[in-house]
Amino acid sequence: IVYEYFENKEAVLHAIALEGAEILLEKISSSAQTEDPKTRLIQFAQAHWAFACEHPEVYKLMFGFEWLPSHPE
């Protein structure tokens, strides 16, 4: 049924990565509400890390870390 909407597996993964990028951008944009560069960098890093923790599989797909295990031993 998925392939009624997407041409192939790569198209599905691309759509997932794009949606992940939108979520990450929203998280980063909403967290960086200060003019201080140091604080903004910290907020950026925290938002980025939070996204990676909340969406680990999407994060790995987006940044090419598919080879990493989901739950390290």
Side-chain angles (χ1 to χ4, degrees):
I1 227 169
V2 170
Y3 294 112
E4 289 179 22
Y5 301 98
F6 298 97
E7 185 177 327
N8 53 34
K9 178 182 174 182
E10 288 76 25
V12 173
L13 296 175
H14 185 244
I16 293 169
L18 284 177
E19 187 166 330
E22 289 175 13
I23 294 168
L24 178 56
L25 180 60
E26 189 176 299
K27 250 189 191 313
I28 290 170
S29 296
S30 67
S31 68
Q33 300 294 325
T34 182
E35 293 297 317
D36 178 50
K38 182 178 177 183
T39 302
R40 196 170 349 138
L41 180 60
I42 291 168
Q43 291 173 341
F44 171 86
Q46 289 171 333
H48 198 90
W49 183 252
F51 174 83
C53 291
E54 292 167 10
H55 308 282
E57 299 302 323
V58 176
Y59 184 85
K60 290 191 298 187
L61 173 67
M62 289 170 59
F63 294 100
F65 297 120
E66 300 91 13
W67 52 270
L68 287 175
S70 294
H71 302 284
E73 302 296 320

